Amino acid sequence: MHESRDKFDAIVVGAGFAGLYALYRLRGLGLSVRLLERANGLGGTWYYNRYPGARCDIESLQYSYQFSDELAQEWEWSERYSAQPEILEYANHVADRFDLRKDIQFDTSATAALFDEANAHWTVMTAAGGNLTAQYLIMATGCLSAANLPNIPGRDSFAGATCHTGHWPHEGVNFTGQRVGVIGTGSSAIQAIPLIAEQAKELIVFQRTANYAVPAHNGPLDREEERRVKADYRGFRAYAATKGFDIAIEMSEAPAFSVESDERRRAYEERWQQGGFNYLGAFGDLLFDPAANDTAAEFVREKIRGIVKDPATAALLTPHHLIGTKRLCVDTNYYATFNRPNVRLIDLNATPIEAIVPDGVRTVARSYDLDTIVFATGFDAMTGALDRIDIRGKGGVRLKDAWAAGPKTYLGLATSGFPNFFMITAGPGSPSVLSNMLPSIEQHVDFVANCIAYMSERQLGTVEATEEAEATWVAHVNEVANLTLFPQGNSWYVGANIEGKLRMFLPYIGGYPVYVAKCNEVAANNYEGFALRARG
């Protein structure tokens, strides 16, 4: 049973990895903390995304907490790339090991949050009607937690079963003997399609945009590699932190055209055989020079044509946009699945979906009778989860309105006009999704916890990003992004997957080490760029 009190030093929203670590750190400062979670279990994205094949695209030994040496040594991953059930098991282990559950309030959706200027505290309203107050409000709502359900005419008329990869039924789905339609070919679809195809009698894949995927080469974790890493885990993590994406992979600085074509192909083949995000580290200019990028893209296109036996299907599966500007997918047997006789690919560019009907999906060309429709249509990334809560700062200004012309943050952590309000890797303007999320989460939480400790020591009442610091940071984020090819991609990085969403490159692409150095500099200069005020 939770205590009946409703006043806390800090309220954290979201019990994924960010919320769990925020609870751990803030409680370690001696603060009273309540963590609100809409689900009836913890894990965040790993609680909801239970679709077949769901797994992390960062290697297990890197996608894990760093704050406890004992935790790092005792936990053993079973695979090179962890699957969803194991990641969720890990999150629950952490909660139990550090006795976090006693401060988590499950089945509690935060619907609104209002800053009380007179008393310098936040009031959080929940769907159940209860109100909680705290000096600090920390949003750990996640970058990929607001599922996007496409507004297709007749969507609710389908007589069969429907499910979204981002809200998968906990009891699982048995596709045996079924005619299944999958709408979307992004990361979750690329992971799910091979396994659905093994069960379904017939699988129809509706594709709007072909995507690049590189092999995971997943398998049991190499125990010798695990021993080597764990012998100097801190050194391994420190090495990763020197890399732009905070992932311990070798990133070549050589330009693609600094070598002959044969050597370039050997480099791509070597990275292809290594698997995963290693591929984009083959040359240093792949995300800066379109011509260099095309050499990496064409290599993958050739691989697709070599894997997929039917030339027409291979052509449809072959992307023609820049590689890497949409999140690179890491797959197991995705392209080969289209060689199966029970799998068909429908090009929505040639024959768009006209409507969902009781029997299935109708395109402009014909209807497809289906028993189940799987929406693999992604998320309203980064800002979506924040938009769904009515957050009001000084003067009653809604966060959604303050960001109407584009989200504005300082370091991705705070926003002007919203005192004592922090975002953990969910705010636009931080490396977040362009980095290894677990270390980024810890870095964000540590910054916030240290700031709150600083405030407490000096008996300060509010901390708020200044408009000037915010404007300077936003300009820097945009300037750095425009030096790369990333803004050219029609990806969820820019909100291109959400109808009517303002197009803007949301993450910070200046590199994890540069970002950390900036945060450290801000803290060392007494939280430069923040207005700190005494208690009223």
Side-chain angles (χ1 to χ4, degrees):
M1 292 291 292
H2 290 290
E3 298 177 38
S4 59
R5 65 190 181 125
D6 57 10
K7 295 182 180 179
F8 303 90
D9 295 317
I11 293 172
V12 180
V13 180
F17 283 119
L20 293 177
Y21 184 57
L23 172 58
Y24 172 83
R25 274 301 318 268
L26 296 175
R27 207 168 68 180
L29 296 177
L31 302 182
S32 61
V33 188
R34 177 56 51 87
L35 196 164
L36 305 181
E37 170 53 53
R38 63 179 174 169
N40 63 8
L42 55 82
T45 190
W46 298 110
Y47 175 89
Y48 285 105
N49 287 259
R50 299 168 183 246
Y51 59 85
R55 68 179 64 247
C56 191
D57 55 11
I58 305 289
E59 294 185 13
S60 305
L61 288 172
Q62 302 193 54
Y63 190 81
S64 52
Y65 283 125
Q66 304 183 24
F67 68 88
S68 166
D69 289 339
E70 293 78 12
L71 173 65
Q73 291 295 328
E74 73 192 18
W75 184 265
E76 291 187 354
W77 298 101
S78 65
E79 295 181 280
R80 180 185 180 189
Y81 293 96
S82 308
Q84 176 271 335
E86 191 169 16
I87 298 172
L88 187 59
E89 181 186 354
Y90 174 70
N92 278 280
H93 171 76
V94 170
D96 292 335
R97 193 188 193 286
F98 298 100
D99 193 23
L100 300 178
R101 292 183 196 275
K102 65 183 181 183
D103 294 312
I104 304 175
Q105 190 167 317
F106 293 108
D107 296 308
T108 304
S109 293
T111 56
L114 175 66
F115 183 69
D116 182 338
E117 295 180 63
N119 297 298
H121 69 227
W122 284 91
T123 298
V124 177
M125 285 71 85
T126 69
N131 291 352
L132 301 89
T133 63
Q135 182 179 2
Y136 298 101
L137 177 58
I138 292 97
M139 305 304 291
T141 45
C143 295
L144 300 174
S145 57
N148 172 45
L149 203 55
N151 188 24
I152 300 173
R155 191 187 67 200
D156 298 329
S157 70
F158 181 57
T162 62
C163 44
H164 190 289
T165 49
H167 279 281
W168 202 257
H170 285 200
E171 65 275 15
V173 181
N174 186 349
F175 296 106
T176 302
Q178 291 194 12
R179 299 163 300 176
V180 182
V182 174
I183 299 176
T185 51
S187 183
S188 60
I190 283 173
Q191 290 184 331
I193 282 169
L195 295 180
I196 295 174
E198 290 177 4
Q199 281 192 346
K201 179 176 74 174
E202 183 180 16
L203 175 60
I204 309 295
V205 177
F206 298 92
Q207 173 186 274
R208 183 182 61 181
T209 305
N211 271 310
Y212 296 99
V214 294
H217 297 310
N218 190 41
L221 185 62
D222 184 331
R223 293 303 167 197
E224 183 54 43
E225 181 188 7
E226 181 185 32
R227 283 190 289 273
R228 178 183 60 79
V229 169
K230 286 188 173 182
D232 183 20
Y233 223 145
R234 287 194 177 189
F236 179 73
R237 305 280 202 184
Y239 170 74
T242 66
K243 303 299 181 181
F245 299 110
D246 194 16
I247 306 172
I249 57 177
E250 290 298 328
M251 304 290 290
S252 172
E253 295 182 2
F257 291 108
S258 65
V259 299
E260 296 298 324
S261 60
D262 287 351
E263 186 176 345
R264 197 161 51 241
R265 287 185 59 82
R266 280 194 296 272
Y268 290 139
E269 183 63 38
E270 181 181 347
R271 299 283 176 146
W272 183 270
Q273 295 304 325
Q274 290 171 358
F277 291 139
N278 288 284
Y279 186 76
L280 289 177
F283 296 100
D285 58 350
L286 298 184
L287 295 172
F288 297 91
D289 177 11
N293 184 283
D294 191 60
T295 65
E298 183 55 31
F299 182 87
V300 178
R301 294 180 196 127
E302 289 179 15
K303 287 290 187 181
I304 296 169
R305 290 190 286 266
I307 295 169
V308 181
K309 295 175 181 177
D310 176 54
T313 303
L316 291 179
L317 287 168
T318 301
H320 295 284
H321 54 268
L322 296 161
I323 189 170
T325 57
K326 301 179 73 168
R327 190 172 182 90
L328 185 63
C329 298
V330 179
D331 86 297
T332 298
N333 298 325
Y334 173 66
Y335 296 119
T337 295
F338 291 89
N339 293 328
R340 297 177 63 100
N342 66 326
V343 178
R344 278 196 290 168
L345 182 66
I346 307 303
D347 179 16
L348 296 183
N349 293 299
T351 58
I353 291 177
E354 200 169 61
I356 291 175
V357 294
D359 292 334
V361 172
R362 186 178 74 229
T363 70
V364 296
R366 55 161 290 184
S367 292
Y368 298 89
D369 290 343
L370 301 169
D371 299 304
T372 299
I373 297 175
V374 174
F375 293 101
T377 46
F379 302 89
D380 184 353
M382 303 191 73
T383 57
L386 294 168
D387 283 349
R388 294 181 185 189
I389 302 172
D390 185 8
I391 302 168
R392 296 176 184 256
K394 293 194 303 187
V397 174
R398 291 197 314 167
L399 180 64
K400 192 171 184 177
D401 293 336
W403 286 2
K408 299 175 293 183
T409 73
Y410 182 39
L411 305 175
L413 285 160
T415 187
S416 178
F418 294 79
N420 295 356
F421 175 84
F422 294 101
M423 297 163 285
I424 307 301
T425 65
S430 81
S432 62
V433 293
L434 291 178
S435 67
N436 182 352
M437 288 294 290
L438 265 291
S440 283
I441 282 168
E442 290 192 41
Q443 186 268 336
H444 265 55
V445 170
D446 288 341
F447 181 95
V448 171
N450 293 339
C451 179
I452 290 175
Y454 181 94
M455 298 274 294
S456 180
E457 290 166 4
R458 290 158 181 78
Q459 296 188 325
L460 298 171
T462 61
V463 54
E464 176 190 351
T466 67
E467 288 187 17
E468 180 184 7
E470 181 180 79
T472 301
W473 182 250
V474 169
H476 172 64
V477 170
N478 290 330
E479 179 184 13
V480 172
N482 289 331
L483 294 175
T484 76
L485 302 175
F486 274 101
Q488 297 182 34
N490 285 320
S491 69
W492 53 262
Y493 293 148
V494 298
N497 62 319
I498 303 298
E499 186 178 349
K501 188 168 183 176
L502 183 72
R503 186 184 177 104
M504 178 179 178
F505 190 72
L506 296 171
Y508 177 61
I509 190 56
Y512 181 80
V514 175
Y515 177 80
V516 171
K518 174 62 177 178
C519 288
N520 291 343
E521 177 188 335
V522 166
N525 291 332
N526 300 313
Y527 296 94
E528 181 181 27
F530 289 94
L532 285 71
R533 299 182 177 90
R535 290 174 180 160

